[in-house]
């Protein structure tokens, strides 16, 4: 994973903090365990002490553990809140009249993602977005639970039927980013992949216009065929 | 009045010949017989779960492998999940609780023995339903089959029904056993055994039974709704018509989180008994460990939404789940501290039970450390449903149920059979398993955290940088499998061929070591007055004291303090 969006930069930092916390736990427990097992063998003539640990040391340990947990809790909230912010669209990005983020509907269905753009155009599998632009994906599902998962651009979000979930990101550079659905959704679950193509503002505008005109032309042709009495 | 008081027991003047052993086991309401069925059965299912894991790992040994079909993989995955949780881990936990706890508290049986018998029967029926589904179609919906994939519209064959029947019957059985166990521990403790003197493992049995009484019915309700949805046109989990797919996630994760905690409560309590006996010193602080075990049950179940951090729920609920998960650091940390503090300053005898217990502490600590990162909301958005989650869960639960379960098995095997398990095979098995678990699951941490490999997928793609990780994990799975099989073979071989154990091979401190090995059906002829948390130690001290006074030999015929 290589972060390419403001949110994933925050998540990446948090992942390293989490790794550090986990490493502290693993090392502390296992080093103490190893020391105890090496040092206090009956073969080494150890005499068992019958003393037990009263309240004071237990309170100290509980206090230290509470502090550790609180620090992780607070740090996690700080970074999660930063990752949740809707980033401002940059100078190279697509700025709408009301400076709202670009909103795209993403629909999960067995076993494909469909993207509906604001001008009425749509695309399957591949999502095209302008670079340096704040994008909000409204995730819905028409059948079972799917997870939208393009790790370089955003954290995972589930598309659950009857609910709307949101993905927010701002791609920092042009390029292609791949992802794979992460919730078992049936036989072809593994095939349910997606790709985000980040392009310049002009290329994006050209893409949605071309999609729209091609879709309209195709629909017109189908309507014409049906009106002429031919079955397509 | 007839001449013989019990004519049905006498044939031609001789006692009637006993019925075959398997009929005895199947019809007995004795907690030891029921416990044996659960323990032996669960170890059999451990073997099956390990075989299923091996088959799935073989498919995932190479990129875009075609050893299994997508549907075949999904079916194995579903069977593996149900087998590992409902037919290996939980029955092993409850079986050991059910066998040992009544002995530990000095009870001559259980309070509601027929309830336990029905519970065992329901569990056997559930296991039959699960594996009978191989005859038609096993479930394809995964380990926790999320609605609405389980609805009839998406999986129309009988697989999900078989899965729901199997897990439902087993869970109902667990609830019945928990009721019996809890009633027994509340009402049938030996004279003088106040709650503060109850052995840690029996205390954990009480806590675990309470937990099962809470989470079991939650899953049973969800399964009932699922069956109504599938068979009677219900809409509980269907989108629209007032149904809510997320309802299944809430209910099922309450059960799965609670079951996770139940397994760890069992393992940590068994480890506490073992560490204290093999270090020849009392637990560093009993009260703190007892309180922590109860806290784990409560907090761990309240953290169920830790599994739903990517679902469309409010951010406040996500922070609540994180708070509950991170709060678990305190009770788990205190237990680890007290276990290790008991070893420090002790005189450790490195026998098989202690070896497995130490392995369990180590594996559980790695798994729970991984869970810390899984519960940090922002980090979870990346890590959830990756093999990092697989690795964390498996380190904690293989550590708890397999290493912890084997520690308990080696420790109480002499009580159940009168023989100890072979020590050298136990050592070889332990080190093989220790290598196996590390080689299997550490690469999955990296594949999930670094490359984001997703779970439950029947294949992975060659260009995603996870080829080596998966190949190593598959090799590790074979090593782990070999280690597990060695202990199973050891148990079977030692059942009749192991060295004689006597009634107290380890110098135990609790009352189960006061009776014969294996115990008589009524458990105890006579019970001592319990005056501390370590009654066997008191008895030994009393005997030593009396033997030292040469002028006054012991008057009693039995070693009663």
């Amino acid at each position: 994973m290589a972060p390419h969006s403001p949110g994933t930069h925050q998540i990446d930092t948090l992942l390293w903090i989490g790794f550090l916390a986990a490493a502290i736990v693993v090392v502390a427990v296992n080093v103490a365990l190893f020391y105890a097992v090496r040092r206090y063998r009956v073969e080494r003539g150890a005499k068992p002490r019958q003393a037990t640990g009263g309240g004071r040391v237990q309170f100290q340990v509980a206090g230290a553990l509470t502090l550790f947990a609180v620090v992780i809790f607070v740090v996690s909230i700080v970074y999660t809140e930063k990752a949740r912010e809707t980033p401002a669209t940059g100078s190279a990005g697509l700025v709408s009249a009301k400076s709202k983020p670009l909103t795209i509907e993403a629909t999960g269905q067995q076993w494909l993602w469909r993207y509906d753009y604001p001008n009425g155009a749509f695309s399957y599998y591949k999502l095209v977005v302008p670079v340096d632009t704040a994008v909000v994906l409204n995730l819905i599902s028409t059948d079972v639970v799917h997870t939208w998962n393009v790790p370089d651009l955003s954290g995972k979000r589930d598309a659950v039927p009857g609910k709307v979930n949101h993905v927010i990101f701002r791609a920092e550079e042009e390029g292609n980013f791949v992802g794979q659905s992460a919730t078992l959704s049936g036989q072809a679950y593994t095939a349910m992949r997606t790709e985000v193509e980040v392009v310049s503002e002009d290329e994006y505008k050209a893409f949605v216009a071309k999609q729209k005109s091609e879709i309209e032309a195709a629909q017109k042709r189908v309507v014409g065929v049906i009106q002429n009495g031919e079955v397509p | 009045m007839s001449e013989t008081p019990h004519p049905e027991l006498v044939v031609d003047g001789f006692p009637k010949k006993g019925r075959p052993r398997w009929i005895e086991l199947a019809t007995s309401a004795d907690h030891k017989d029921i416990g044996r069925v659960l323990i032996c059965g669960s170890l059999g299912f451990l073997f099956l779960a390990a075989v299923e894991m091996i088959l799935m790992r073989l498919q995932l040994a190479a990129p875009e492998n075609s050893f299994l079909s997508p549907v075949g993989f999904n079916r194995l995955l579903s069977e593996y999940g149900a087998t590992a949780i409902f037919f290996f881990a939980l029955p092993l936990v409850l079986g050991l609780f059910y066998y040992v706890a009544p002995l530990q508290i000095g009870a001559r049986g259980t309070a509601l023995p027929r309830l336990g018998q029905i519970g065992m029967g329901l569990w056997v029926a559930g296991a039959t339903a699960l594996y009978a589904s191989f005859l038609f179609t096993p479930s394809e919906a995964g380990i926790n089959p999320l609605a609405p994939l389980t609805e009839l519209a998406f999986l129309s064959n009988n697989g999900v029904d078989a899965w729901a029947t199997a897990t439902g019957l087993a869970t109902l059985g667990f609830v019945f056993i928990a009721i019996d166990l809890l009633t027994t521990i509340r009402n049938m403790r030996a004279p003088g055994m106040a709650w503060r003197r109850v052995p840690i493992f029996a205390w954990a049995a009480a806590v675990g039974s309470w937990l099962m009484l809470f989470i079991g019915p939650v899953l049973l309700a969800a399964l009932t709704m699922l069956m109504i949805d599938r068979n009677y046109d219900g809409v509980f989990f269907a989108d629209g018509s007032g149904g809510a797919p997320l309802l299944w996630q809430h209910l099922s994760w309450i059960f799965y989180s609670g079951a996770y905690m139940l397994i760890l409560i069992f393992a940590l309590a068994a480890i506490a008994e073992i560490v204290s006996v093999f270090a020849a010193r009392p637990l560093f602080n009993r009260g703190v460990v007892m309180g922590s075990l109860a806290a784990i049950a409560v907090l761990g179940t309240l953290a169920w939404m830790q599994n739903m951090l990517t679902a469309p729920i409010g951010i406040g609920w996500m922070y609540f789940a994180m708070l509950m998960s991170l709060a678990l650091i305190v009770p788990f940390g205190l237990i680890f501290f007290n276990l290790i503090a008991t070893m420090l300053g002790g005189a450790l005898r490195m026998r098989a039970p202690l070896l497995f217990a130490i392995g369990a502490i180590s594996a559980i600590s790695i798994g729970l450390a991984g869970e810390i990162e899984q519960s940090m909301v922002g980090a979870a958005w990346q890590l959830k449903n990756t093999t990092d989650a697989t690795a964390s869960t498996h380190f904690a639960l293989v550590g708890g149920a397999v290493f912890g379960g084997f520690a308990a098995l080696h420790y109480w095997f002499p009580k159940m059979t009168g023989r100890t398990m072979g020590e050298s095979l136990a050592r070889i098995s332990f080190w093989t398993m220790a290598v196996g678990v590390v080689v299997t699951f550490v690469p999955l941490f990296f594949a999930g955290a670094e490359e984001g490999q997703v779970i439950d997928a029947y294949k992975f793609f060659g260009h995603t940088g996870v080829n080596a990780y998966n190949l190593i994990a598959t090799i590790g799975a074979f090593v782990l499998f070999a280690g597990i099989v060695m202990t199973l073979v050891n148990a079977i071989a030692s059942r009749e061929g192991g060295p004689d154990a006597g009634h107290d091979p380890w110098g135990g401190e609790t009352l189960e070591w006061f009776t014969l090995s294996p115990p008589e059906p009524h458990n105890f002829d006579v019970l001592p007055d319990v005056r501390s948390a370590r009654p066997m130690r008191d008895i030994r001290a009393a005997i030593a004291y009396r033997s030292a006074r040469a002028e006054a030999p012991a008057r009693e015929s039995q070693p009663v303090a």
Side-chain angles (χ1 to χ4, degrees):
Chain A
M1 185 194 117
H4 287 284
S5 166
T8 45
H9 284 295
Q10 305 297 337
I11 290 177
D12 200 44
T13 312
L14 187 58
L15 280 171
W16 281 109
I17 295 170
F19 178 74
L20 188 67
I24 290 172
V25 170
V26 171
V27 169
V29 172
N30 287 283
V31 166
L33 195 60
F34 185 76
Y35 172 75
V37 171
R38 292 287 295 181
R39 170 74 181 75
Y40 293 97
R41 294 284 185 93
V42 71
E43 302 94 78
R44 303 185 59 161
K47 289 275 182 297
R49 280 182 257 151
Q50 296 304 312
T52 52
R56 196 188 163 94
V57 65
Q58 303 286 342
F59 272 114
Q60 286 164 349
V61 172
L65 290 167
T66 309
L67 189 67
F68 182 63
V70 167
V71 168
I72 299 175
F73 185 66
V74 171
V75 169
S76 297
I77 288 189
V78 168
Y79 280 95
T80 307
E81 284 299 315
K82 282 192 203 163
R84 251 160 47 82
E85 278 172 12
T86 309
T89 296
S91 54
L94 179 81
V95 184
S96 68
K98 293 170 190 164
S99 71
K100 280 186 174 171
L102 174 64
T103 305
I104 296 170
E105 307 287 325
T107 309
Q109 56 195 66
Q110 284 179 326
W111 288 276
L112 202 56
W113 289 97
R114 171 187 162 124
Y115 300 101
D116 282 281
Y117 300 87
N119 71 342
F122 58 83
S123 64
Y124 283 96
Y125 173 69
K126 188 183 272 187
L127 168 67
V128 178
V129 293
V131 72
D132 211 13
T133 304
V135 177
V136 174
L137 296 184
N138 289 338
L139 293 184
I140 55 171
S141 165
T142 58
D143 39 43
V144 302
V145 178
H146 303 283
T147 299
W148 196 85
N149 170 30
V150 179
D152 290 351
L153 292 180
S154 158
K156 296 181 181 65
R157 280 295 183 286
D158 295 350
V160 178
K163 293 262 184 187
V164 183
N165 213 344
H166 304 284
V167 168
I168 301 163
F169 65 89
R170 188 186 78 198
E172 289 169 339
E173 56 198 80
E174 295 178 24
N176 286 31
F177 303 97
V178 292
Q180 183 175 3
S181 177
T183 297
L184 183 66
S185 52
Q187 288 186 13
Y189 154 58
T190 308
M192 190 161 170
R193 289 184 286 170
T194 190
E195 184 176 343
V196 180
E197 187 174 352
V198 181
V199 297
S200 70
E201 184 194 345
D202 295 335
E203 284 173 301
Y204 169 75
K205 283 178 178 163
F207 170 79
V208 288
K210 178 164 161 279
Q211 282 290 100
K212 186 176 170 146
S213 64
E214 283 182 2
I215 290 166
E216 281 175 352
Q219 285 171 340
K220 210 174 278 174
R221 198 157 66 234
V222 171
V223 169
V225 166
I226 293 171
Q227 281 171 348
N228 292 341
E230 298 168 30
V231 179
Chain B
M1 207 175 170
S2 69
E3 282 184 64
T4 44
H6 295 291
E8 73 277 8
L9 294 179
V10 179
V11 177
D12 296 334
F14 291 100
K16 218 175 186 173
K17 195 163 173 268
R19 288 172 296 180
R21 181 69 183 139
W22 69 271
I23 294 182
E24 289 279 327
L25 274 177
T27 56
S28 168
D30 182 15
H31 72 98
K32 298 181 290 299
D33 289 337
I34 294 170
R36 278 182 83 134
V37 172
L38 287 171
I39 293 164
C40 297
S42 66
L43 292 175
F45 284 112
L46 170 63
F47 178 76
L48 287 178
V51 169
E52 285 154 3
M53 176 193 74
I54 284 286
L55 290 174
M56 288 191 289
R57 278 314 324 169
L58 268 179
Q59 162 65 18
L60 292 174
E64 307 202 41
N65 201 354
S66 55
F67 172 66
L68 291 173
S69 69
V71 174
F73 184 90
N74 288 352
R75 287 177 175 173
L76 268 179
L77 180 71
S78 312
E79 294 286 308
Y80 167 74
T83 307
I85 298 164
F86 292 91
F87 299 102
F88 159 58
L90 291 178
L92 180 67
V93 166
L94 288 171
L96 277 160
F97 277 156
Y98 201 65
Y99 192 106
V100 174
L103 292 170
Q104 282 197 321
I105 60 168
R108 290 204 165 94
T110 59
L112 309 162
R114 291 291 168 199
L115 210 51
Q117 193 189 10
I118 294 169
M120 185 266 278
L122 287 170
W123 176 75
V124 172
T128 313
L130 186 74
Y131 277 86
S133 71
F134 268 115
L135 297 177
F136 43 102
T137 45
S139 169
E140 296 161 24
I143 293 175
N144 180 5
L146 297 186
L149 179 64
T150 46
E151 295 289 304
L152 207 56
F154 302 109
L155 287 174
S156 56
N157 63 37
N158 288 328
V160 175
D161 297 297
W163 179 88
T165 308
T167 54
L169 287 172
T171 308
L172 191 60
F174 299 154
V175 171
F176 283 175
I177 290 169
I179 293 172
D180 185 15
L181 201 47
L182 191 58
T183 317
T184 307
I185 299 171
R186 275 188 66 87
N187 296 329
M188 296 175 69
R189 301 196 300 277
M193 187 176 281
W195 276 112
R196 66 179 185 282
R197 293 174 187 160
V198 168
I200 287 286
F201 193 70
W203 167 259
V207 171
S209 298
W210 268 116
L211 183 54
M212 183 49 80
L213 283 188
F214 176 74
I215 62 172
V218 173
L219 183 72
L220 288 170
L223 290 170
T224 309
M225 291 185 221
L226 179 62
M227 291 300 257
I228 292 174
D229 270 15
R230 290 183 61 85
N231 297 300
Y232 304 104
D233 298 328
V235 289
F236 287 107
F237 304 126
D239 168 40
S241 325
L246 277 186
L247 178 61
W248 170 269
Q249 294 199 19
H250 283 290
L251 297 178
S252 61
W253 286 126
I254 286 176
F255 177 83
Y256 280 102
S257 309
Y260 194 136
M261 294 306 134
L262 176 52
I263 292 164
L264 292 183
I265 287 169
F266 152 82
L268 292 171
I271 294 165
E273 296 271 2
I274 291 166
V275 163
S276 149
V277 166
F278 285 84
R281 47 177 312 214
L283 204 56
F284 194 58
N285 189 321
R286 272 174 56 82
V288 169
V289 173
M290 288 166 87
S292 299
L293 289 172
I296 288 169
V298 175
L299 294 172
T301 309
L302 285 177
W304 83 89
M305 279 186 285
Q306 193 245 30
N307 298 289
M308 298 171 61
L309 294 179
T310 61
I313 58 175
I315 187 78
W317 290 113
M318 296 188 193
Y319 289 150
F320 168 71
M322 173 165 73
L323 183 64
M324 292 299 118
S325 307
L326 293 178
L328 281 170
I329 289 176
V330 179
F332 274 121
L334 281 172
I335 290 180
F336 284 136
F337 167 74
N338 278 289
L339 291 179
I340 294 170
T342 308
M343 290 185 207
L344 297 171
L348 295 174
R349 284 176 293 157
M350 290 303 290
R351 299 293 302 273
L354 184 62
L355 206 55
F356 277 99
I358 288 165
I361 295 175
S362 184
I364 293 172
S365 75
I366 297 171
L368 292 181
E371 293 288 0
I372 292 176
E373 198 164 9
Q374 287 281 337
S375 62
M376 296 162 66
V377 178
W381 290 342
Q382 285 293 344
L383 296 177
K384 187 178 179 264
N385 280 10
T386 65
T387 53
D388 182 90
T390 312
S392 300
T393 313
H394 277 77
F395 256 111
L397 292 186
V398 171
V402 183
F403 280 86
F406 281 2
L409 180 72
H410 282 87
Y411 182 59
W412 280 298
F413 192 87
K415 185 47 63 184
M416 295 176 198
T417 63
R419 293 172 187 276
T420 37
M421 281 171 69
E423 185 78 11
S424 29
L425 189 54
R427 280 173 186 280
I428 299 169
S429 167
F430 169 77
W431 286 109
T432 314
M433 280 169 60
V435 170
V437 77
V438 169
V439 176
T440 311
F441 294 114
V442 168
L444 294 185
F445 272 126
F446 289 103
E450 284 188 356
E451 312 295 344
Q453 185 184 354
V454 300
I455 54 164
D456 299 348
Y458 89 101
K459 68 176 179 184
F460 60 92
F461 300 95
H463 57 79
T464 49
V466 294
N467 298 8
Y469 294 140
N470 280 280
L471 183 61
I472 296 170
T474 301
I475 294 168
F478 275 95
V479 179
L480 180 58
F481 179 76
I484 288 172
V485 169
M486 278 184 228
T487 288
L488 297 182
V489 168
N490 193 1
I492 294 168
S494 307
R495 201 168 58 90
E496 291 184 339
D500 260 334
H503 74 287
D504 181 16
W506 312 121
E509 302 189 330
T510 41
L511 282 182
E512 76 268 34
W513 306 110
F514 184 61
T515 184
L516 299 175
S517 305
E520 294 290 304
H522 56 279
N523 291 355
F524 299 96
D525 288 333
V526 63
L527 277 169
D529 246 352
V530 177
R531 286 168 198 174
S532 78
R534 305 160 87 192
M536 278 302 280
R537 183 184 156 84
D538 298 345
I539 292 167
R540 280 193 290 267
I543 292 170
Y545 177 70
R546 284 178 202 181
S547 328
R549 287 192 309 167
E551 73 279 9
R555 277 186 300 257
E556 285 93 342
S557 55
Q558 265 199 301
V560 180

